[in-house]
Amino acid sequence: MWLNPEEVLLKNALKLWVTERSNDFFLLQRRRGHGEPTGKITGLLVGALDTVLDSNARVTPFRILLQVPGSQVSWVIASGAAIEEVNKHWDWLIRNLLHSLSVFENKDDVASFVKGKVKGLIAEEVRGRQAAQEEDPEKFREALLKFELHFGLPSSEKLVTYFSCCCWKGRVPRQGFLYLSINHMAFYSFLLGKEVKFVIPWAEVMRLERVSTGLMTEAIRVSTRQRQREFSMFLNLDEAFGVIGQLADIALRRLLDSEGLELDRVLQQPTRISKRILEEQALREYVLALFRLPRGERLHEVASCSVWTPHARCHTAGTLYTTDSYLCFSSREEGRCILLIPLSEVLSIEKAESTSVLPNPVIVSIRTKKAFQLIELQDRDELVESLNCKLRSLQWKQSMFRSSKSGKRSMRSPTPYYTFYYDTGYSDEVEIEEQVLRNTVNSEALMTAFNQNQPGTNSNKSMEQVKERLWEDHFSEFGRGVHMFRTGKIQRLVSMGIPESLRGELWMTLSDASTELESHQGYYTSLVKKSMGQSTLATEEIERDLHRSLPDHPAFQNPTGIAALRRVLTAYAHRNPKIGYCQSMNILASVLLLYAKEEEAFWLLVAVCERMLPDYFNRRVIGAQVDQSVFEKLISERLPELAEHFPDLSTLSSVSLSWFLTLFLSVLPFHSAVCVVDSFFLHGIKAIFQLGLAVLEANAAQLSTSTDEGQALMILTSFLEQVGNEASSCPVSPVHAAEETSSSNPDVPAVRHTNITDLINESYEKFGDLTVRQIERLRCRHRIQVLQAHEDTTKENALRVVTPDVSISPEDLANVYDLFKTEHLISLYWGDTSSAAAAEAAAWRHGDSYMERQYRLDRPQFKSLYGLLAPWPGGSNQHTDTLANRTFTLLDQDCDNLVTFREFAGWLDTFYCEELNEKIRLLYRLHIPPALTESEDDPSLMKSPLVSTNRPLYVNLPSGVPGDEVKDYQEQLKQMLRDLVKEKEKDVEKPLPLMIQREFIQFCKTLYSMFHGDPEENDLFQAIATVTSLVLQIGEAGHRGRRTGSEGTSRDEAEGAEATQANAKDRRSSVSGVCDGSATPENEWTISYAQILASLLTEQALVNFFEKPVDLSAKIAAAKEKQYHQRAGLLTLQHRTR
């Protein structure tokens, strides 16, 4: 195979290679010992050396070298395991290159030419391998070549797929091809001599829609912040729309929310994404959502089959899905019959004899002495073998885990497994809690000890007994445990409300939290030990909310309930620090503790936060916002009359946010809300969507007459407060008791009492056709809108902070921000893995109580943007690059090798909007330390300088202060200094350090470079020559004066006296903080900023040049045109030179 050319210093080092064929430019060599008689000692030694090397380091036995006459360096350009393979490469070189090389006069040109050809062949092979994965490799290879030719993007911009379609421009369709890559969608058309092409980054896509108008068939509308594009005439519009939505969703999650959303490991490597991978990922997301599996589960096999369903006394046709730890079956009609079998419950998977009645049967036996029969399985042998392999691996892990646990238990004393100590203050209540709870663990649900005594207890008990009998009958027919059949009958039972005696068990079963608990024995115990007693932001928030969780329920008026809630929430915050603790988790956890044991409640909370409501409980609650956007879409589709009355559906979705975050627990009476939680554990988020639509429909008439958001909120609140449960004669929860007294508002009409069972059944009857697949597709599309809304908020916040400090117009400042952000994204698109990871990490700003997006640029990114927006064109690229380096060092006030948008905008504002003296002042600062260093070729010498020229601040701390407090005090002082440094230095009276002669020469060089290409170039050159001569004379005069005895006052850092003129060496050590080891003469030639400014003002040509306004808008427009392709070209060049 062809290899990326790699240098070889000695063509025949250690006699390890034998030359088989050669000419003036190429050598074909064989590894010594390969293909030789076994008797030769050198062959035996080399063979032994190759054998002991690991498999990754072993050398292929044949290779081809590029050699240049007269050079001691060669390059390996091809290798192979067989002589036939290498001979093919050799013949290609002889036939296509050898005769061409003789015309080159320069040997370096020969090497460059051959290496370029070889890299081209490697790129072609990569295209071939990528094309081979597609359905039609030849067509895909052709499309890939056209994509690279038309758009000029780097080779790392992988093409995923392409479609033939029309792009509409007004009423005119343009037939062409839509190319979809990992970071962009691109369209190209060439029709009747007219070329149309454009590129849309996924990061700019705001909305994806399917639209239909009278002019065209159904089309896909792609909306960005600037414009809309519509595409139609697809051969398969559903497929195209799905792929476009997936790629946009994946790209935005990867580029804009890497901290909050966890992508599949395959999708975290964009170069591995292909059309097939996207199809597999879409199916995996659907399976995880349908069966509510752990997010880490991988989908392996998908097979059509039929399962014997005893309750129906027939085989039910559907699909079998196998993952790492589960067997999942779903009927063809989603929700009609669902079966979930954890592999941890399976004893054996065996093939049975195939008959005409039972073709290809498989028997799955589980621990409870039951078996499931699957038939009509295609590729049965391979499937059974794969499942048995997973089963053996899982059983081995379980046996090892049990043996290790039993060994540990035998060494332990029988004392309680933990003791709790709380550090929440010294109140009597806390002391009582410690006495009661020390060495105790809640082994029962809180409801067993704190059951509320309500009127009508006898009727409640009889109703509970009826429900229990119904459930016992159901268990006998459909099975009990995680692997029971879930059909429409269980839905009817759940809508009635699960009996309290079975609620905890069924929640564990329906959510599959029981499997997690079984496979993680002792995990919760160890987590509590680690987490209790720690003080973090999460624990502080938990302590604040403990007494707000169902405050009127007796279980949480007692130290026992409060302590259990504290343990569960603190343990989860320790388990998942990305989520930590989020408001509304306390309400959910308190309800779970009422009906489940403490450890079970913990695993139920894990199931809800990580599987059933993904991305809901984090700082930005992205998941909840996505589902609110989906809910708005469902309202517009399912309740069009209501949607017509509310042009802005965000009014209704904002009211419903608490419905989703707390599963109606915060808005419904307690006993009714618990029935909603029952339905949620059976059907997941689908139950909340359906119930929300049912509530809105029940109040549609009154909502249509409402005039504002407040009245709509009162209508819905009054309705939900009256939703009762037939098992409870006291429908209104104590949570709403206070509110009920004020519900006699004459503006809100009286609301009839509604039974929660009827409401849930109605939601299934009217909106039960909503499927998990539909919800997942809607989530994919609406996540794009939510993430972009967060980006808009980030931009607004950044502009609001910067606008008061600059004179740039708001429109221009917004455009500069877009350029700044695009520069960051380009590094994520095409930078290497390490630089992309660093850029993404730099885009997040963490605080004690927040995490927000804040784009920052590193040195290469800044230099690229500097070249696009610098107000004056430089005379040479090298000097422009030097100035960009100095500017970056000056702006990097935090010394973290990153520049913020605020710092960048301040630099831009100075050169485009400030007065002449401020422009000269900034140029002056660019030519003294820390911006200017002794060796500008090494950027590492520029790191960690202090921008401020103030002396260090010393504070005498009182004696007896602990060391930690001293450190904290010092940190506060450092932060104060940083804040002072960040303030814009507009005080002209503040003295700048003096400039020495070497620095002044650099200053003049910069001015000459700035004037190059200006229409008044000759006059400017003459003026700067005059100024230079004048300044040199001033400096020389001052130098002679100091040498005769005049000496400036040095800085006294200990006393903190104000800095004045100092000798150059002291100035460098105090300003830059970098010791270069070179001694500077004490009587160095120096000049001040004021003297340079005064000299420049004597020449009108220079004054006119600096006062001449520069059109920033035009500069920004030009930068937008150049940025993409200029940056892409630079990155491509960097990749090629590696």
Side-chain angles (χ1 to χ4, degrees):
M1 62 179 178
W2 297 108
L3 301 176
N4 205 31
E6 184 178 349
E7 284 189 4
V8 179
L9 295 179
L10 297 175
K11 290 182 287 186
N12 204 13
L14 302 178
K15 302 294 183 180
L16 297 178
W17 294 88
V18 178
T19 300
E20 297 282 334
R21 303 169 71 176
S22 65
N23 54 46
D24 290 341
F25 297 100
F26 302 107
L27 297 173
L28 192 157
Q29 295 185 330
R30 171 179 53 82
R31 188 73 166 174
R32 189 176 294 278
H34 183 82
E36 295 180 351
T38 57
K40 294 187 177 180
I41 185 66
T42 55
L44 290 174
L45 290 173
V46 175
L49 177 64
D50 291 343
T51 302
V52 297
L53 290 175
D54 64 70
S55 58
N56 293 324
R58 286 179 188 167
V59 181
T60 52
F62 298 98
R63 71 179 185 180
I64 298 177
L65 298 182
L66 165 67
Q67 63 173 0
V68 178
S71 173
Q72 295 297 315
V73 178
S74 299
W75 293 268
V76 180
I77 60 174
S79 67
I83 187 63
E84 294 80 10
E85 178 186 5
V86 179
N87 277 336
K88 287 182 181 179
H89 293 336
W90 178 268
D91 293 340
W92 189 91
L93 291 170
I94 301 302
R95 185 171 59 254
N96 295 283
L97 291 187
L98 186 60
H99 298 296
S100 304
L101 299 181
S102 59
V103 302
F104 287 95
E105 296 181 359
N106 190 329
K107 62 182 181 181
D108 292 333
D109 293 341
V110 172
S112 299
F113 177 75
V114 175
K115 287 191 284 187
K117 282 289 185 182
V118 171
K119 289 180 180 179
L121 291 170
I122 294 172
E124 184 65 24
E125 283 186 353
V126 171
R127 292 193 197 99
R129 286 196 296 270
Q130 184 179 346
Q133 299 175 3
E134 305 299 325
E135 295 176 358
D136 193 335
E138 289 304 319
K139 284 188 177 180
F140 189 85
R141 185 195 298 267
E142 182 182 345
L144 185 58
L145 288 171
K146 289 181 179 178
F147 174 69
E148 294 176 352
L149 176 66
H150 295 324
F151 302 104
L153 299 177
S155 58
S156 56
E157 183 65 23
K158 181 181 177 182
L159 178 66
V160 177
T161 189
Y162 65 99
F163 296 97
S164 173
C165 66
C166 283
C167 177
W168 290 79
K169 187 175 182 181
R171 294 172 176 245
V172 180
R174 302 290 302 185
Q175 180 65 38
F177 284 92
L178 182 65
Y179 299 91
L180 306 179
S181 67
I182 54 178
N183 297 306
H184 304 82
M185 63 184 304
F187 179 79
Y188 182 84
S189 171
F190 187 81
L191 197 63
L192 300 177
K194 187 173 182 180
E195 182 184 60
V196 175
K197 68 176 179 179
F198 55 83
V199 176
I200 303 175
W202 294 123
E204 293 183 9
V205 173
M206 299 288 293
R207 183 186 295 267
L208 294 174
E209 301 170 284
R210 291 177 68 159
V211 296
S212 181
T213 67
L215 296 175
M216 66 186 88
T217 59
E218 195 173 15
I220 298 173
R221 176 179 292 164
V222 180
S223 303
T224 65
R225 290 179 175 85
Q226 287 76 35
R227 62 176 304 169
Q228 294 179 344
R229 302 274 189 182
E230 292 176 347
F231 305 91
S232 66
M233 302 294 183
F234 291 92
L235 290 177
N236 188 334
L237 188 134
D238 290 337
E239 178 190 11
F241 188 63
V243 173
I244 291 172
Q246 270 189 281
L247 283 171
D249 177 49
I250 291 168
L252 286 173
R253 284 195 282 171
R254 177 170 51 87
L255 298 172
L256 304 184
D257 199 45
S258 62
E259 286 282 329
L261 295 174
E262 293 186 3
L263 283 169
D264 184 82
R265 281 176 293 180
V266 174
L267 301 182
Q268 289 174 349
Q269 303 174 27
T271 54
R272 295 182 59 185
I273 296 177
S274 65
K275 187 178 177 183
R276 179 177 56 82
I277 292 291
L278 291 178
E279 292 170 354
E280 293 175 355
Q281 180 66 16
L283 182 58
R284 174 181 174 273
E285 291 287 341
Y286 167 69
V287 171
L288 293 183
L290 178 62
F291 298 98
R292 299 185 293 282
L293 303 180
R295 306 302 295 176
E297 287 291 305
R298 294 171 299 173
L299 181 63
H300 294 292
E301 291 93 5
V302 179
S304 297
C305 70
S306 295
V307 171
W308 174 254
T309 47
H311 57 275
R313 297 183 180 179
C314 66
H315 284 90
T316 300
T319 306
L320 176 71
Y321 306 94
T322 70
T323 69
D324 295 329
S325 308
Y326 294 89
L327 293 177
C328 312
F329 173 82
S330 176
S331 58
R332 289 176 181 171
E333 181 184 346
E334 184 184 293
R336 180 167 167 261
C337 180
I338 286 180
L339 178 64
L340 181 66
I341 308 175
L343 284 178
S344 58
E345 294 287 322
V346 175
L347 291 177
S348 65
I349 302 173
E350 301 171 321
K351 293 179 287 185
E353 184 179 352
S354 181
T355 66
S356 58
V357 180
L358 300 175
N360 296 332
V362 172
I363 308 298
V364 179
S365 303
I366 60 175
R367 289 184 190 175
T368 55
K369 298 182 180 179
K370 290 187 177 181
F372 298 92
Q373 183 189 74
L374 292 76
I375 63 171
E376 298 176 342
L377 277 164
Q378 300 294 328
D379 301 322
R380 179 182 65 162
D381 295 345
E382 291 83 354
L383 179 63
V384 171
E385 179 61 33
S386 173
L387 290 175
N388 276 318
C389 182
K390 293 190 189 75
L391 185 60
R392 287 192 296 269
S393 174
L394 185 63
Q395 290 173 344
W396 179 82
K397 289 179 182 177
Q398 289 176 338
S399 64
M400 294 297 292
F401 177 77
R402 290 194 187 102
S403 62
S404 64
K405 292 296 288 184
S406 62
K408 288 179 182 178
R409 283 180 190 145
S410 63
M411 298 172 63
R412 288 182 186 160
S413 62
T415 56
Y417 61 81
Y418 54 79
T419 301
F420 296 109
Y421 298 94
Y422 303 107
D423 185 17
T424 58
Y426 295 98
S427 65
D428 293 338
E429 180 186 355
V430 175
E431 292 178 0
I432 294 172
E433 278 187 35
E434 290 188 3
Q435 294 173 4
V436 173
L437 298 175
R438 191 169 297 167
N439 301 330
T440 60
V441 179
N442 288 347
S443 58
E444 295 295 335
L446 293 179
M447 189 62 83
T448 59
F450 300 99
N451 197 1
Q452 286 178 295
N453 294 320
Q454 298 200 13
T457 303
N458 291 332
S459 63
N460 287 348
K461 284 184 178 179
S462 62
M463 179 57 70
E464 288 290 299
Q465 290 171 358
V466 171
K467 290 181 182 179
E468 289 172 4
R469 284 197 299 271
L470 290 173
W471 274 99
E472 291 298 333
D473 294 340
H474 185 273
F475 292 149
S476 63
E477 186 177 1
F478 293 85
R480 189 166 189 166
V482 176
H483 40 69
M484 70 174 160
F485 289 97
R486 305 178 194 189
T487 64
K489 185 173 180 180
I490 196 175
Q491 173 185 310
R492 291 189 292 274
L493 285 175
V494 168
S495 64
M496 294 169 58
I498 299 174
E500 292 189 358
S501 60
L502 295 173
R503 183 163 272 144
E505 175 192 341
L506 283 169
W507 283 0
M508 293 290 290
T509 295
L510 296 174
S511 66
D512 192 37
S514 56
T515 302
E516 293 283 313
L517 172 60
E518 179 67 23
S519 59
H520 293 84
Q521 292 291 331
Y523 175 79
Y524 177 67
T525 304
S526 63
L527 208 57
V528 169
K529 287 182 180 179
K530 294 175 184 175
S531 61
M532 295 306 292
Q534 293 187 4
S535 179
T536 63
L537 176 64
T539 59
E540 292 174 5
E541 292 177 343
I542 290 169
E543 291 297 328
R544 198 163 52 240
D545 287 347
L546 281 177
H547 296 278
R548 303 175 187 172
S549 310
L550 302 184
D552 294 309
H553 197 287
F556 299 101
Q557 295 171 349
N558 186 287
T560 302
I562 293 294
L565 181 59
R566 176 189 287 115
R567 289 194 293 270
V568 169
L569 292 174
T570 305
Y572 185 78
H574 190 77
R575 164 190 166 87
N576 192 341
K578 278 192 175 181
I579 291 179
Y581 171 76
C582 181
Q583 282 189 343
S584 77
M585 285 173 65
N586 59 318
I587 298 175
L588 184 58
S590 60
V591 174
L592 298 177
L593 279 166
L594 288 175
Y595 296 101
K597 299 175 185 178
E598 185 176 317
E599 188 171 7
E600 292 175 345
F602 169 79
W603 286 111
L604 284 170
L605 186 64
V606 169
V608 171
C609 294
E610 298 178 10
R611 292 192 274 124
M612 304 183 74
L613 295 177
D615 308 312
Y616 262 60
F617 302 99
N618 54 36
R619 293 292 175 190
R620 307 205 300 170
V621 289
I622 295 290
Q625 293 182 55
V626 170
D627 280 352
Q628 289 305 292
S629 184
V630 171
F631 191 50
E632 290 179 24
K633 181 66 175 177
L634 292 175
I635 293 172
S636 64
E637 291 178 352
R638 304 300 182 102
L639 304 172
E641 295 180 358
L642 182 62
E644 188 176 344
H645 180 73
F646 287 92
D648 184 8
L649 287 174
S650 61
T651 300
L652 294 178
S653 64
S654 63
V655 172
S656 65
L657 179 60
S658 63
W659 303 355
F660 286 79
L661 282 173
T662 66
L663 307 180
F664 283 89
L665 287 166
S666 63
V667 293
L668 280 175
F670 176 75
H671 291 283
S672 301
V674 174
C675 293
V676 176
V677 179
D678 295 340
S679 294
F680 170 75
F681 278 118
L682 176 63
H683 288 294
I685 196 63
K686 172 185 169 182
I688 307 301
F689 279 120
Q690 291 175 172
L691 186 60
L693 291 171
V695 169
L696 292 180
E697 188 195 45
N699 294 273
Q702 295 178 30
L703 288 171
S704 297
T705 62
S706 63
T707 56
D708 55 34
E709 182 178 347
Q711 190 175 358
L713 176 61
M714 293 178 67
I715 291 170
L716 292 172
T717 301
S718 298
F719 172 82
L720 291 169
E721 286 178 354
Q722 303 301 321
V723 176
N725 183 355
E726 61 186 3
S728 172
S729 59
C730 183
V732 181
S733 166
V735 176
H736 304 286
E739 298 175 7
E740 191 174 335
T741 60
S742 61
S743 64
S744 57
N745 190 324
D747 295 334
V748 181
V751 182
R752 60 183 174 84
H753 286 264
T754 304
N755 186 275
I756 186 62
T757 300
D758 296 336
L759 189 61
I760 291 175
N761 284 330
E762 188 177 344
S763 74
Y764 280 108
E765 290 172 5
K766 295 184 176 180
F767 307 106
D769 58 332
L770 181 65
T771 65
V772 173
R773 194 183 296 274
Q774 291 171 349
I775 292 173
E776 286 304 304
R777 287 175 176 171
L778 286 171
R779 279 176 165 177
C780 180
R781 285 162 47 193
H782 287 267
R783 191 181 293 110
I784 296 170
Q785 299 174 31
V786 171
L787 290 176
Q788 292 289 20
H790 276 273
E791 284 298 296
D792 289 342
T793 302
T794 300
K795 180 178 179 179
E796 290 170 5
N797 292 339
L799 296 179
R800 185 173 61 251
V801 170
V802 173
T803 300
D805 297 337
V806 299
S807 302
I808 301 174
S809 69
E811 183 180 355
D812 284 344
L813 192 62
N815 289 329
V816 170
Y817 180 90
D818 292 337
L819 288 170
F820 195 87
K821 174 183 171 181
T822 301
E823 195 65 39
H824 164 82
L825 293 178
I826 287 175
S827 293
L828 297 185
Y829 295 158
W830 305 314
D832 56 44
T833 306
S834 58
S835 63
E840 183 58 16
W844 290 96
R845 188 162 69 96
H846 297 265
D848 292 337
S849 60
Y850 63 87
M851 180 180 71
E852 65 178 7
R853 195 84 171 162
Q854 185 187 65
Y855 295 109
R856 294 179 287 181
L857 301 185
D858 61 15
R859 192 179 295 271
Q861 294 167 338
F862 175 84
K863 287 163 66 176
S864 173
L865 198 53
Y866 177 96
L868 293 170
L869 292 178
W872 303 292
S876 67
N877 290 333
Q878 182 178 358
H879 195 70
T880 301
D881 187 73
T882 301
L883 271 185
N885 257 325
R886 294 179 193 165
T887 306
F888 180 87
T889 304
L890 187 65
L891 296 180
D892 181 20
Q893 298 180 358
D894 293 331
C895 306
D896 56 1
N897 286 320
L898 294 168
V899 167
T900 66
F901 175 67
R902 185 174 188 172
E903 293 163 344
F904 183 83
W907 163 77
L908 210 61
D909 180 64
T910 300
F911 274 142
Y912 279 94
C913 303
E914 289 288 0
E915 300 294 333
L916 177 146
N917 58 336
E918 287 298 326
K919 296 177 184 179
I920 301 301
R921 182 186 182 87
L922 180 55
L923 285 172
Y924 183 92
R925 293 179 65 197
L926 290 175
H927 295 83
I928 58 175
L932 182 72
T933 63
E934 292 295 331
S935 175
E936 289 186 325
D937 295 333
D938 185 5
S940 64
L941 296 177
M942 301 182 186
K943 64 184 179 182
S944 66
L946 292 175
V947 175
S948 172
T949 58
N950 294 335
R951 295 168 307 285
L953 179 62
Y954 291 92
V955 178
N956 294 323
L957 293 174
S959 59
V961 177
D964 292 339
E965 293 187 19
V966 172
K967 292 180 180 178
D968 292 341
Y969 197 61
Q970 290 175 346
E971 287 298 323
Q972 292 176 12
L973 291 176
K974 289 179 181 178
Q975 184 60 45
M976 184 180 69
L977 286 175
R978 293 191 197 103
D979 294 340
L980 291 172
V981 168
K982 286 180 181 178
E983 293 180 1
K984 192 170 179 66
E985 297 180 12
K986 291 188 175 181
D987 187 3
V988 180
E989 296 180 0
K990 180 179 178 180
L992 287 170
L994 300 178
M995 182 181 282
I996 62 174
Q997 193 171 38
R998 182 184 73 87
E999 296 163 356
F1000 177 69
I1001 292 172
Q1002 291 292 326
F1003 180 82
C1004 295
K1005 186 177 179 181
T1006 297
L1007 292 180
Y1008 274 104
S1009 176
M1010 288 165 52
F1011 302 151
H1012 183 75
D1014 190 273
E1016 307 295 330
E1017 181 177 352
N1018 291 334
D1019 292 341
L1020 289 169
F1021 282 163
Q1022 186 175 356
I1024 194 58
T1026 304
V1027 169
T1028 302
S1029 176
L1030 176 60
V1031 172
L1032 287 172
Q1033 292 174 16
I1034 295 173
E1036 188 62 33
H1039 176 52
R1040 285 197 300 268
R1042 284 191 299 277
R1043 196 164 48 189
T1044 58
S1046 175
E1047 184 173 354
T1049 307
S1050 62
R1051 300 182 177 183
D1052 187 352
E1053 293 185 346
E1055 298 180 1
E1058 179 120 359
T1060 55
Q1061 292 185 356
N1063 65 65
K1065 181 178 180 181
D1066 288 343
R1067 175 172 62 83
R1068 273 153 186 74
S1069 62
S1070 62
V1071 172
S1072 67
V1074 178
C1075 179
D1076 56 14
S1078 59
T1080 307
E1082 292 186 359
N1083 296 322
E1084 176 67 87
W1085 182 100
T1086 58
I1087 197 74
S1088 70
Y1089 158 71
Q1091 291 168 329
I1092 290 180
L1093 178 62
S1095 302
L1096 289 172
L1097 291 175
T1098 62
E1099 292 294 328
Q1100 190 61 40
L1102 297 177
V1103 173
N1104 293 340
F1105 177 83
F1106 284 107
E1107 289 186 343
K1108 181 173 62 177
V1110 183
D1111 189 351
L1112 179 58
S1113 299
K1115 201 77 174 178
I1116 292 171
K1120 286 184 176 180
E1121 293 293 326
K1122 297 177 184 176
Q1123 184 181 30
Y1124 237 68
H1125 292 289
Q1126 174 178 308
R1127 189 83 167 111
L1130 288 172
L1131 288 168
T1132 303
L1133 184 62
Q1134 290 173 10
H1135 285 306
R1136 287 179 179 172
T1137 55
R1138 283 180 185 148

